[in-house]
Amino acid sequence: MVDALLEPFQLKNLHLKNRIITTSHEPAYNEDGFPKDRYIAYHLERAKGGIAMTMTAGSAVVSKDSPPSFDNIHVYKDEVVPWIKKLTTAIHDQDCKIMIQLTHLGRRTSWSKGDWLPSVSSGKHREPAHKAFPKIVESWDIKRIIKEYGDAAQRMKEGGMDGVELEAQGHLIGQFMSPLTNELESEYGGNFENRLRFTIDVLSEIRKKVGKEFIVGIRCVFDEVEEGGITKSEGLETAKILSNSGLVDYLNINRGRIHTDPILTKHIPIQGMRSAPHLEFAAEIKKEVNLPIFHASKISDVATARYAISNGLVDMIGMTRGHLADPHIVKKIKEKREDDIRPCVGATFCLDRIYQGEEALCIHNAVTGRELKFPNIITKSKTKKRIAIVGAGPGGLESARIASERGHEVIVFEAAPDPGGQVRLCAKSDRRKDMMGIIDWRMEQCTKRNVKFNFNVLAEKKDIIEDKPDTIIIATGGIPNLELFETKTELENIYTSWDIISGDIKLSENILIYDEVGDHTAMQSAEIAISEGAKVEFMTPDRLISSEIMGMNLTPYIKNLQNKNITYSIAKRLLAVSLEGNKLNALFGSDYDEKFKFNKVYDQIFVNYGVKPLDELYFDLVTDSKNQGEIDYAKFINGTQQNIIRNNNNHFYLFRIGDAVSSRNIHAAIYDALRLLINI
């Protein structure tokens, strides 16, 4: 019986070899507004992995007054065409189709980017996520932008694209469609027909430029799920009009709005939220129209994707974040190796980085976005070595996985009874339990390759070197740091955020959580403390709370702490703590006013100030190693084999990674492991 996901699909004149695609997204890898070599390598890897179609750009901008908020491709420039040709040729060579998403961002951007032109929209109100007040679009703007859509589509056809998709949700087309954002009194505003007119005019202009055979789709919201917005019934009517217009070849179904971080997470759910929340809604639309239906929204696992296709809920399923984690999903399905698929754990490290103006990276696939330097498929080493790894957190396990795939003999020492390190700690919160997928997948991969694990072993120098390893990797992580810069010594009588998360400490009534890092740890501890009935003051010396947790991931914390017994204090620095009876007297200052000082009393104080590297074992081994622990950074950056020799009489090379070096994050530890082990 043929797997439903592997069945082909005919999209008008376009033959799609299976039912899995990546929907349009902007990884922010372009250069100068063009999809150059890094961008091409990213999409090419997914094409090699077997998907039917890769959809690029989320979204490519058609006009100069739509400056790129997410490092979007500039399709309003003629110079983009040669790069599009290079991209499409590379993808087509892999028997994969390719489309591109076009947009005018409207108010979903800032005037202070690009050419500093005012943003435009069908209304005067700013989008909270981007904060720029738009100019209300004039009639000449409308005519110009309609033409620019057509010109951009024509360029994409010249570049070899199989089709274009319009982004309508929250972008300019969607702003015209929604009564919440359309304040026009012209033929483009007011009633339903007028609000849809801009969409129809844009599609008509595109058809005029590209002809009837070229694929044109639209990613559109058919229910804004907000009072005063596009209703479900109005959305269904829109779908029918588009279906009967002859202007579009498929509908990509969306639901909800995207103008704030909390609203965006309902549309693109993150970790701890329901999977595939809009799939049944997409199926409802499919029943009412005569067009193929595409859909993507937290469909990260093969089982859900297979359910959607086999039950006829949609025609093509997008697994976009899933393919950031593992670009070879389809290949592994074909080879009946679904258990080898690296899972998307929903951390949304990728999207949060994009919305912060950074490049997209996967929290636990360090090759994503770095395909020009590093392979997803690991090759065997010509010589077999003995590799000893101390620590079974994400960095240590990634080291073990890569080394074993290279064909080496690998032994791992771990002091705890179970693998995971800090990941196991953060996964104690039910909402973040999927983070254990980072650990579980690596343990399964290591077990398949006969990696030897020694748990409950506090490894010492003699334990490691008696096995005569060729290379030792220290991935011991760190322990919570209680030594603030101001104190120079460890604060006494206080605890760390780890103590709350682990459940090792019984919480008192009135506590302070002092956060000088801005990462998940402090917020997660606050969430737990509040749930256990504590009164919390959450303090940071920064000008805003949790600066390292980006918008989408901060949303559930703020939501869960809303209207709870917590106060937030910014721009206040903890300077000292003294014992006052059975209470703690804290002295505070501020970086913004050196004369500002005050005291406050708490039952307990918890500090989040990163970790101190557990590096004692590393330094015990340094003098006995060939390289004395030294790393050639030029080779490290490029993932080439280390060959520094400081003492040729010694037997092994020694390296340390992740938090054993300095307090960083999961991705950094995994990336360290990749660069050291990929060519060892």
Side-chain angles (χ1 to χ4, degrees), residues 386-390 409-413 464 469-474:
R386 298 167 73 86
I387 312 291
I389 298 164
V390 186
E409 182 183 339
V410 182
I411 183 170
V412 179
F413 299 89
I464 300 169
D470 299 294
T471 299
I472 299 173
I473 305 292
I474 302 298

Side-chain angles (χ1 to χ4, degrees), residues 481-497:
N481 185 16
L482 287 173
E483 182 184 329
L484 300 182
F485 174 76
E486 290 73 22
T487 62
K488 299 297 189 295
T489 57
E490 287 198 357
L491 292 170
E492 297 181 351
N493 305 307
I494 68 170
Y495 302 106
T496 73
S497 289

Side-chain angles (χ1 to χ4, degrees), residues 505-524:
I505 297 295
K506 180 175 175 57
L507 296 178
S508 298
E509 181 181 350
N510 178 32
I511 71 172
L512 170 71
I513 296 176
Y514 178 73
D515 180 23
E516 200 164 329
V517 182
D519 63 3
H520 280 272
T521 310
M523 263 293 168
Q524 187 174 354

Side-chain angles (χ1 to χ4, degrees), residues 525-594:
S525 65
E527 201 173 46
I528 294 169
I530 287 293
S531 71
E532 294 185 6
K535 175 185 175 183
V536 176
E537 181 170 3
F538 190 97
M539 182 181 290
T540 176
D542 298 333
R543 58 186 171 86
L544 69 166
I545 63 167
S546 305
S547 56
E548 294 299 308
I549 309 177
M550 291 167 268
M552 294 180 74
N553 269 297
L554 188 58
T555 291
Y557 289 118
I558 299 298
K559 178 183 177 181
N560 292 341
L561 294 172
Q562 205 80 296
N563 299 318
K564 300 297 196 306
N565 203 2
I566 183 170
T567 58
Y568 300 101
S569 298
I570 62 170
K572 296 180 179 67
R573 182 174 290 282
L574 179 62
L575 300 177
V577 176
S578 59
L579 196 61
E580 198 171 274
N582 62 350
K583 303 284 186 179
L584 295 173
N585 190 334
L587 172 66
F588 300 104
S590 172
D591 298 344
Y592 297 87
D593 183 355
E594 61 186 24

Side-chain angles (χ1 to χ4, degrees), residues 66 102 120 170 198 252 281 352 356 455 537 561 565 579 674:
S66 178
L102 306 181
V120 297
F198 181 70
N252 193 340
F281 175 72
D352 260 346
Q356 283 293 103
F455 292 107
E537 181 170 3
L561 294 172
N565 203 2
L579 196 61
L674 171 70

Side-chain angles (χ1 to χ4, degrees), residues 167-230:
E167 171 60 287
Q169 184 179 33
H171 294 214
L172 186 61
I173 291 175
Q175 292 159 31
F176 269 86
M177 293 172 72
S178 173
L180 290 170
T181 48
N182 190 330
E183 301 174 24
L184 299 176
E185 297 179 356
S186 66
E187 69 271 27
Y188 289 98
N191 62 40
F192 170 73
E193 182 181 357
N194 283 356
R195 286 185 279 109
L196 193 58
R197 191 183 308 278
F198 181 70
T199 308
I200 300 299
D201 286 356
V202 167
L203 287 166
S204 299
E205 178 70 13
I206 288 174
R207 277 291 173 216
K208 187 170 75 175
K209 293 289 178 67
V210 301
K212 294 182 179 180
E213 296 305 310
F214 193 64
I215 301 296
V216 178
I218 185 167
R219 188 169 189 171
C220 196
V221 58
F222 295 95
D223 182 2
E224 289 191 301
V225 200
E226 187 166 330
E227 186 176 350
I230 296 169

Side-chain angles (χ1 to χ4, degrees), residues 148 226 231-232 274 293 313 385 396-397 509 574-575 589 623 676:
E148 288 168 339
E226 187 166 330
T231 62
K232 184 176 177 180
R274 177 186 164 196
I293 299 299
L313 304 185
K385 296 181 178 179
L397 290 180
E509 181 181 350
L574 179 62
L575 300 177
T623 56
L676 277 176

